[in-house]
Amino acid sequence: MYVNAKGDIQLDITPGEIFRCPSRTLTDAHFLLFSSVSCDVHPIHYDAEYAGRTRFGKPLVHGLLLASITALGSSSGQGKAHGFIFVEQGCRYLKPAAVGDTVHPSLTVERLWEEDQRTFCRLSTTVLNQHGEQLLEGFHLYRVLPLTPHLDSGDD
């Protein structure tokens, strides 16, 4: 990203560009760590006996854990996200994920635009499982702020 002579923000990303996040195979450790951070201790996520009595038959990943693995900062687009400020996100959960599933998150640049002298970028988000089935579809919205040069304070 740079600011041209007219003061307009110029981004080095284009609509249709895809950023991949690291794939991972979900383990009990992912569930426990997320549960400890989120304080979500619903038994559908860790109690095999309880989960076995549900229509899913086994413990399921936290939905917000799935959403979190679409973080732009963890993707191949991380180096292009300078000045991006997270404004909004949304998603739909299409299929459940469980321990042992390998998830493949990605983001696609949908749209770049200016509104009231502010620059925005919208990315679609997707998480696929090891079978190529879509588990999550969603979006991230970022406001893009111009980078300010680091000012040397003169203090050493």
Side-chain angles (χ1 to χ4, degrees), residues 37-89:
V37 169
S38 68
C39 297
D40 181 347
V41 293
H42 191 282
I44 190 67
H45 303 302
Y46 68 88
D47 185 332
E49 186 177 314
Y50 171 88
R53 293 190 309 267
T54 70
R55 68 184 214 157
F56 303 106
K58 58 187 171 187
L60 303 178
V61 69
H62 297 78
L64 290 175
L65 172 58
L66 272 186
S68 74
I69 65 173
T70 64
L72 179 58
S74 75
S75 77
S76 58
Q78 181 265 344
K80 297 182 176 191
H82 300 292
F84 279 48
I85 306 300
F86 206 16
V87 174
E88 182 181 353
Q89 80 175 68

Side-chain angles (χ1 to χ4, degrees), residues 1-4 9 82-83 145-154:
M1 174 182 60
Y2 64 94
V3 178
N4 68 17
I9 296 174
H82 300 292
L145 300 177
L147 297 177
T148 55
H150 175 65
L151 301 176
D152 185 4
S153 66

Side-chain angles (χ1 to χ4, degrees), residues 6-120:
K6 294 188 328 187
D8 298 326
I9 296 174
Q10 302 295 306
L11 301 174
D12 60 350
I13 62 174
T14 56
E17 191 170 358
I18 298 172
F19 303 129
R20 306 239 182 255
C21 302
S23 298
R24 67 207 72 185
T25 300
L26 299 172
T27 67
D28 287 324
H30 292 109
F31 286 45
L32 291 172
L33 288 170
F34 190 82
S35 179
S36 79
V37 169
S38 68
C39 297
D40 181 347
V41 293
H42 191 282
I44 190 67
H45 303 302
Y46 68 88
D47 185 332
E49 186 177 314
Y50 171 88
R53 293 190 309 267
T54 70
R55 68 184 214 157
F56 303 106
K58 58 187 171 187
L60 303 178
V61 69
H62 297 78
L64 290 175
L65 172 58
L66 272 186
S68 74
I69 65 173
T70 64
L72 179 58
S74 75
S75 77
S76 58
Q78 181 265 344
K80 297 182 176 191
H82 300 292
F84 279 48
I85 306 300
F86 206 16
V87 174
E88 182 181 353
Q89 80 175 68
C91 64
R92 289 183 339 128
Y93 301 99
L94 306 174
K95 290 185 177 279
V99 166
D101 284 340
T102 300
V103 291
H104 306 274
S106 64
L107 303 98
T108 302
V109 179
E110 277 186 358
R111 183 175 170 223
L112 303 163
W113 76 96
E114 290 201 19
E115 182 179 308
D116 298 326
Q117 299 180 341
R118 296 181 298 174
T119 302
F120 294 92

Side-chain angles (χ1 to χ4, degrees), residues 100-146:
D101 284 340
T102 300
V103 291
H104 306 274
S106 64
L107 303 98
T108 302
V109 179
E110 277 186 358
R111 183 175 170 223
L112 303 163
W113 76 96
E114 290 201 19
E115 182 179 308
D116 298 326
Q117 299 180 341
R118 296 181 298 174
T119 302
F120 294 92
C121 178
R122 181 180 165 110
L123 304 169
S124 65
T125 58
T126 300
V127 177
L128 303 177
N129 66 13
Q130 67 273 19
H131 305 295
E133 299 168 322
Q134 191 171 8
L135 305 178
L136 175 146
E137 68 178 7
F139 73 93
H140 291 180
L141 177 63
Y142 295 87
R143 179 165 178 209
V144 184
L145 300 177

